[in-house]
């Protein structure tokens, strides 16, 4: 139920990671799971809690808005099958802390040199030319 | 529990060579045998630590030393592979099944950033979340934010390790750099710079270990006791080094180095204050600073003060990375921990020349890597 329904040629960058309809990017959010046994929230649609091992886990939607807990700027092209801008442009990645008690590793949009710890950012789904829907956290307006 | 001792140590220099894994691996193994005064046929079991070499590399390398029917097993635990392999050797002797065992680390790696498919999922690679230094750098950024650690303190660690490497013939880079050169080198991932980071390379190192009884029986020269040998995997969300897609904001589990250090100190019956020299995982210069705190050389948040005060210099109270560390030696993943162990053995024997820690009697080797793998070996004269 957390998997998006691909109505067109769109595919999620990873199955179980997103909610909403992929052909309506504004409806897309991050999927989360919460454990009834220990209360831990984890990223994506999970059937086991990696904190305590319980299988009493249910899906929750993760908030779109979060704060940068830490970050860095990637200044060299990542190795392997990187699908970002060509020619390579330095970009920021961060751990974005969400109110559900989870920090998500993600690219942070906008000027990489303007990113700061504590900055408010917002989940934004984006579709690549190959139809894959991925995500970025953009500075909140 | 049976006492386990190192009776022979050998190393093939770390760097980039036009040689096969068999050549560099057998070089280190034969050197360790010669150091122990033993023949290959005396060894009863062997363990190879490796990550990038193909299946059965242990047998491929060691069968070249002569026909044998001993068990030869490859062990992999990311950057902690060497500690995991050494622990298997220690257990084989403690169990009473073996008297004398070879533990070899060997690796040959491609240049540049490590192949991300080894540890990351496709989607992380496609989104650019697969550069190992980016995770180390995010830890550094948070530490700077919380404790006021500075770029200069991080650079000082790289400065120390590059300077120590000048005296290590087995290091890949043996060049001193000024603080200005280090701080002027290009950022890889902010705040970590090119001269503050280690490169993958080739290398091999080996030890012959034995029960203390066996060592006495053969009259081993200068046996070194393995006082602690621990390998752990970090608990849930205790480490966001890499690969990670998220971490908990609520769980507060002890980090991999903290857990491993606690267990290793307990096993050895000593604490950080008793350790005369350390070889630790400086994949990047900040990582070493954080390890000062996690190995209990100082309270959390004070790693920067230690480097400022010279505590971790060869002449300081807690010398760290006398060999030049991974920053200078490079990181041939499977060989790196055995390389640290060979360095500590040389320090405890008083054979380290210009990089000798005076009067060293206890040493600690630490590795840390993907998946929260951590291993610590404590050696005592
Ligand atoms: Zn749970």
């Amino acid at each position: 139920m957390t998997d998006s329904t691909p109505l067109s040629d769109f595919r999620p960058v990873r199955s179980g990671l997103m909610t909403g309809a992929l052909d309506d990017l504004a409806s897309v959010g991050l999927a989360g799971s919460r454990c009834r046994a220990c209360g831990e929230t984890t990223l994506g649609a999970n059937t086991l809690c990696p904190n305590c091992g319980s299988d009493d886990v249910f899906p929750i939607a993760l908030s779109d808005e979060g704060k940068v807990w830490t970050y860095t700027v990637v200044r060299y092209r990542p190795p392997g099958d990187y699908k970002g801008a060509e020619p390579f442009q330095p970009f920021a990645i961060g751990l974005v802390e969400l109110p559900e008690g989870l920090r998500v590793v993600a690219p942070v949009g906008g000027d990489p040199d303007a990113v700061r710890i504590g900055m408010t950012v917002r989940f934004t789904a984006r579709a690549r030319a190959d139809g894959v829907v991925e995500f970025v956290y953009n500075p909140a307006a | 529990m049976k006492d386990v001792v190192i009776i022979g140590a050998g190393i093939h220099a770390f760097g980039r060579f036009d040689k096969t894994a068999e050549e560099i691996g057998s070089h280190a193994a034969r050197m360790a045998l010669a150091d122990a005064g033993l023949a290959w046929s005396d060894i009863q079991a062997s363990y190879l630590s490796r990550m990038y070499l193909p299946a059965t590399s242990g047998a491929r390398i060691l069968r070249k030393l002569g026909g044998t029917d001993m068990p030869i097993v490859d062990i992999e635990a990311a950057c902690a592979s060497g500690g995991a392999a050494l622990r298997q050797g220690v257990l084989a002797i403690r169990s009473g099944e073996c008297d004398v065992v070879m533990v070899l680390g060997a690796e040959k790696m491609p240049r540049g950033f490590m192949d991300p498919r080894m540890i990351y999922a496709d989607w992380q690679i496609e989104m650019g979340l697969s550069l190992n230094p980016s995770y180390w750098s995010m830890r550094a950024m948070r530490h700077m934010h919380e404790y006021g650690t500075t770029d200069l303190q991080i650079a000082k660690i790289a400065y120390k390790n590059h300077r120590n490497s000048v005296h290590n013939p087995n290091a890949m880079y043996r060049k001193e750099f000024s603080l200005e050169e280090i701080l002027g080198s290009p950022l890889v991932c902010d705040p970590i710079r090119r001269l503050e980071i280690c490169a993958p390379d080739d290398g091999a190192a080996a030890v012959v270990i034995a029960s203390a009884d066996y060592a006495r029986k053969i009259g081993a020269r200068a046996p070194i006791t393995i006082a602690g040998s621990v390998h752990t995997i970090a608990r849930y969300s205790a480490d966001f080094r890499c690969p990670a897609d998220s971490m908990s904001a609520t769980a507060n589990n002890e980090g991999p180095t903290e857990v491993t250090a606690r267990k290793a100190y307990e096993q050895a019956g000593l604490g950080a204050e008793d350790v005369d020299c350390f070889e630790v995982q400086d994949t990047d210069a900040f990582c070493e600073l954080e390890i000062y705190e996690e190995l209990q050389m100082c309270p959390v948040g004070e790693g920067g003060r230690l480097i400022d005060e010279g505590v971790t210099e060869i002449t300081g109270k807690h010398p760290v990375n006398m060999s030049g560390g991974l920053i200078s030696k490079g990181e041939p993943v499977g060989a790196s921990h055995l390389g640290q162990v060979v360095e500590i053995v040389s320090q405890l024997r008083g054979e380290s020349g210009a990089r000798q820690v005076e009067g060293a009697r206890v040493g600690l080797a630490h590795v840390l890597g993907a998946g929260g793998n951590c291993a610590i070996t404590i050696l005592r004269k």
Side-chain angles (χ1 to χ4, degrees):
Chain A
M1 69 175 290
T2 50
D3 247 340
S4 311
T5 320
L7 298 174
S8 54
D9 290 338
F10 292 120
R11 286 167 290 123
V13 70
R14 178 193 126 188
S15 71
L17 191 62
M18 294 176 189
T19 58
L22 292 184
D23 60 348
D24 174 14
L25 291 177
S27 76
V28 175
L30 274 190
S33 304
R34 182 161 289 161
C35 174
R36 272 196 188 85
C38 75
E40 198 59 44
T41 303
T42 51
L43 177 66
N46 300 316
T47 53
L48 287 176
C49 169
N51 187 38
C52 74
S54 167
D55 59 3
D56 192 0
V57 168
F58 62 98
I60 63 162
L62 297 177
S63 298
D64 284 344
E65 202 166 275
K67 283 190 187 316
V68 173
W69 187 75
T70 188
Y71 72 99
T72 185
V73 181
V74 176
R75 299 202 183 262
Y76 284 79
R77 189 187 188 283
D81 195 18
Y82 171 59
K83 304 276 196 191
E86 297 291 350
F88 172 75
Q89 295 287 324
F91 64 97
I93 74 171
L95 270 170
V96 175
E97 183 162 329
L98 305 178
E100 288 77 23
L102 184 67
R103 298 174 187 140
V104 178
V105 177
V108 177
D111 175 5
D113 292 314
V115 178
R116 294 291 177 269
I117 288 175
M119 190 168 104
T120 303
V121 289
R122 221 180 148 70
F123 178 87
T124 311
R126 63 184 180 195
R128 293 197 317 236
D130 60 3
V132 170
V133 174
E134 53 175 42
F135 62 99
V136 60
Y137 283 88
N138 283 322
Chain B
M1 204 158 60
K2 260 185 202 294
D3 268 350
V4 181
V5 296
I6 295 177
I7 56 174
I11 189 164
H12 184 287
F14 291 7
R16 296 197 178 99
F17 308 99
D18 190 18
K19 290 183 186 179
T20 64
E22 285 84 349
E23 286 170 317
I24 60 176
S26 58
H27 174 94
R30 284 168 54 87
M31 189 174 161
L33 284 170
D35 188 41
L38 293 177
W40 172 236
S41 55
D42 294 323
I43 304 295
Q44 297 162 353
S46 291
Y47 298 89
L48 172 73
S49 157
R50 55 93 180 151
M51 182 172 177
Y52 281 76
L53 294 179
T56 71
S57 284
R60 295 185 209 203
I61 295 169
L62 292 171
R63 269 197 315 222
K64 291 220 161 26
L65 303 187
T68 175
D69 54 6
M70 76 172 85
I72 300 178
V73 182
D74 289 14
I75 305 280
E76 189 275 312
C79 302
S81 297
L86 183 55
R87 180 171 170 274
Q88 290 306 313
V90 167
L91 294 177
I93 292 169
R94 283 185 188 160
S95 77
E97 187 180 308
C98 295
D99 303 308
V100 58
V101 168
M102 163 82 70
V103 184
L104 169 66
E107 204 74 86
K108 265 193 89 68
M109 298 177 68
R111 272 170 185 268
F113 296 121
M114 295 185 190
D115 182 351
R117 287 171 304 180
M118 294 289 284
I119 55 172
Y120 294 96
D122 289 348
W123 71 277
Q124 292 171 302
I125 297 170
E126 293 173 14
M127 284 176 63
L129 307 175
S130 61
L131 202 65
N132 292 352
S134 67
Y135 293 80
W136 312 335
S137 296
M138 286 195 283
R139 291 186 77 87
M141 278 287 196
R142 186 69 201 181
H143 198 275
M144 294 167 94
H145 175 78
E146 284 187 27
Y147 305 112
T149 302
T150 64
D151 286 323
L152 179 61
Q153 288 170 331
I154 295 173
K156 281 180 179 175
I157 288 179
Y159 172 77
K160 166 180 74 69
N161 291 356
H162 283 299
R163 199 189 45 204
N164 288 352
S165 76
V166 172
H167 306 294
N168 182 1
N170 295 312
M172 175 162 65
Y173 304 117
R174 297 178 62 192
K175 185 172 179 324
E176 187 172 347
F177 294 93
S178 68
L179 278 171
E180 291 69 28
E181 283 174 300
I182 292 165
L183 285 166
S185 67
L187 284 162
V188 176
C189 292
D190 309 21
I192 304 299
R193 297 171 183 278
R194 194 89 192 197
L195 287 174
E196 298 171 337
I197 208 164
C198 79
D201 62 354
D202 309 342
V207 289
V208 174
I209 63 175
S211 66
D213 291 343
Y214 182 92
R216 261 191 301 277
K217 200 179 79 191
I218 65 160
R221 154 188 103 91
I224 301 291
T225 301
I226 301 180
S229 170
V230 176
H231 168 226
T232 64
I233 301 278
R235 285 187 186 212
Y236 167 71
S237 218
D239 187 54
F240 65 96
R241 200 160 267 98
C242 55
D245 59 18
S246 59
M247 71 176 291
S248 173
T250 56
N252 196 20
N253 288 319
E254 219 177 355
T257 297
E258 293 163 297
V259 176
T260 314
R262 184 167 49 72
K263 291 183 178 184
Y265 287 141
E266 203 175 285
Q267 199 179 97
L270 46 76
E273 66 282 0
D274 303 309
V275 180
D276 302 311
C277 56
F278 296 80
E279 285 284 314
V280 310
Q281 181 88 15
D282 58 335
T283 0
D284 63 282
F286 167 74
C287 193
E288 179 177 314
L289 188 150
E290 191 179 35
I291 288 164
Y292 296 165
E293 303 169 6
E294 294 173 338
L295 290 181
Q296 303 168 22
M297 291 180 222
C298 65
V300 173
E302 295 186 17
R305 179 181 61 77
L306 249 59
I307 188 71
D308 282 343
E309 294 178 354
V311 173
T312 56
E313 301 284 345
I314 287 174
T315 51
K317 179 163 170 269
H318 289 305
V320 177
N321 284 333
M322 301 73 67
S323 69
L326 306 186
I327 283 178
S328 320
K329 292 184 295 186
E331 190 191 14
V333 176
S336 88
H337 187 69
L338 275 307
Q340 295 175 325
V341 167
V342 170
E343 172 72 18
I344 301 278
V345 167
S346 143
Q347 291 282 348
L348 301 190
R349 286 176 176 172
E351 295 172 352
S352 293
R355 61 183 198 283
Q356 179 65 45
V357 173
E358 206 155 321
R361 300 192 55 82
V362 177
L364 181 153
H366 159 275
V367 274
L368 173 66
N373 271 291
C374 183
I376 290 178
T377 303
I378 297 179
L379 301 181
R380 198 178 50 218
K381 196 170 174 173

